[in-house]
Amino acid sequence: MAYEYDRAIAVQRRAEGEYDVDLDAGWIVGGGLNGGYLLAVIGNGIRAELDRAGHPDPYTISAYYLSPSRPGPGIVRVRVLRGGRGSSTVTATLSQVQDGAEVERISTLATYGDLARMSGDVRTIAKPPVLPPVEECLLTSDASPEMKRFVPMLDRFAMRLDPACGAWTAGEPSGNNFLQGWFALVDGRPIDPVALLTVVDTLPPTTFEMGMPGWAPTLELTAHVRCTPAPGLLRIRHETRNFAGGFFEEDCEVWDSADRLVAQSRQLALAPRPLESAGSGE
Amino acid sequence: MAYEYDRAIAVQRRAEGEYDVDLDAGWIVGGGLNGGYLLAVIGNGIRAELDRAGHPDPYTISAYYLSPSRPGPGIVRVRVLRGGRGSSTVTATLSQVQDGAEVERISTLATYGDLARMSGDVRTIAKPPVLPPVEECLLTSDASPEMKRFVPMLDRFAMRLDPACGAWTAGEPSGNNFLQGWFALVDGRPIDPVALLTVVDTLPPTTFEMGMPGWAPTLELTAHVRCTPAPGLLRIRHETRNFAGGFFEEDCEVWDSADRLVAQSRQLALAPRPLESAGSGE
């Protein structure tokens, strides 16, 4: 495997519907591993299981995060709920052994098919984000060594943030409700449908730019993969429209170089809590 | 139970995590039962299971539709994956016996908690849909008897469509990518968090007004319930931004009389197919 990303999401068949994985410390963000990276590990296990059925591509996957994952060994289990002609629906989980017992980290439902067989009318009214040229954007891997010790994941990709939503990096958040930028994996590994499951969760939380630093635990993330991206840089955008009642949603759009909306995701997260507050939630 | 909706979604405890249900023919739409109605039946089973834990309210639920449900007996099974202080995550299914064997209809993942305990900052930039007064809107239960024989569900609620997106009812779709209107259950039953799981799936497909009649099978629907609605009429809006590659997403927003965005949902559906086409998908 020539690309580091392929090594990081690799799955090794152990038995029918069971895959060994080795979670990569390179995808650490703060106290845990990036949720989109973990989703692609599970998504890769599902692909391995459904490839034989002619359904290698995620159409939709919904992930519920149960406990924080750690770098090291894990097990992906895939169970087919419905096998159809055009698509298959599965339940898939990621577990790790902790203190001698197996603990579920993430539980998912997903429907896979073959994007190459899908086609038809395009009547899209969505518009791609308008970004400054790459060279005017903020390369996230240029973050300080202190920041990168906390977020080693920043070295996994070449993300270039639109400076219009990067004011938080200088400690002066604009209050805007979105983040956007250019995206590629660090070693140029092409983005396929499974890798899109990582891409949708790589931008920092919108709450950073809204002036609310802190960790915002994701309750649920659903991603829809709409087509296989054309080669070239991707444009990604995260937006929050309803921050209220202790929750906020983050909608991510991923656009390819052919101006197609290749993936849409939405996650529901708990509002970041100041350290001094007990609050509700977990 | 004074309200017909409560009888329709009633669950009867059979064993630990197992509930008998009786799916109501009143919620038929075309060849099946409405997906939002079925989601509330499952959601009611989850509520029955988690009430003891102090987590009666759906925060988020993701449903994958496996096979068409029929009116009559069914079984809801709920298994707790994670029980926390602030919320619990479960997997829940709806099954029916068919030709002597139990068949899964819908598989879900959900996180429930207590909306009354959630609070905090409101920084919403979303705006409620602008609707004409109720008396200028199209009451969907005024549809023709022929239509209502095909969609008995139309008598379950008082939905008043904005005439600006009702041109399809006269056979002249406007091409707009949204539908919106006022909503109440027919007998005035107050809308609580579980009932919102039905509300998000009551509008006709956006494709009707886009000029593409026909059945558009839902692959997946995720709903986020953000707060308990205030009494009074709800405003609901369905919008599609990306119709492409044989799929389209429908985003639903539900607003209450206090101008709060009380629920958001997104579903991924297969494009409606003309009868003569074999096409891909299922």
Side-chain angles (χ1 to χ4, degrees), chain B residues 5 33-41 65 194 197-201 221:
Chain B
Y5 183 76
L33 288 161
N34 173 259
Y37 160 64
L38 297 169
L39 196 58
V41 170
Y65 295 87
V194 166
L197 305 181
T198 298
V199 177
V200 296
D201 197 36
L221 186 155

Side-chain angles (χ1 to χ4, degrees), chain B residues 204-277:
Chain B
T206 50
T207 40
F208 281 11
E209 189 69 351
M210 292 166 79
M212 294 175 283
W215 185 57
T218 299
L219 296 179
E220 179 266 337
L221 186 155
T222 294
H224 298 166
V225 175
R226 304 294 296 270
C227 65
T228 300
L233 288 181
L234 298 173
R235 283 158 293 172
I236 56 179
R237 180 181 165 97
H238 238 179
E239 185 174 325
T240 295
R241 296 174 64 247
N242 190 32
F243 183 101
F247 301 106
F248 65 108
E249 92 288 356
E250 287 183 298
D251 285 357
C252 186
E253 290 189 359
V254 183
W255 292 79
D256 73 0
S257 59
D259 273 354
R260 294 178 308 179
L261 180 43
V262 295
Q264 289 169 288
S265 73
R266 174 174 289 171
Q267 55 183 294
L268 181 68
L270 290 175
R273 269 170 297 163
L275 292 173
E276 67 278 15
S277 150

Side-chain angles (χ1 to χ4, degrees), chain A residues 60 62 64 66 82 86-87 118 123-126 177 210 220 224 226 241-243 245 247 253 281-282, chain B residues 60 62 64 66 82 86-87 118 123-126 177 210 220 222 224 226 241-243 245 247 253 282:
Chain A
T60 171
S62 300
Y64 283 66
L66 305 173
R82 183 193 60 84
S87 64
M118 299 299 285
R123 309 193 190 189
T124 298
I125 64 148
N177 65 316
M210 292 166 78
E220 178 266 338
H224 298 166
R226 304 294 296 272
R241 296 174 64 248
N242 190 32
F243 183 101
F247 301 106
E253 289 189 359
E282 292 313 304
Chain B
T60 171
S62 300
Y64 283 65
L66 305 173
R82 183 193 59 85
S87 63
M118 299 299 286
R123 307 194 191 190
T124 298
I125 64 146
N177 67 317
M210 292 166 79
E220 179 266 337
T222 294
H224 298 166
R226 304 294 296 270
R241 296 174 64 247
N242 190 32
F243 183 101
F247 301 106
E253 290 189 359
E282 293 314 302

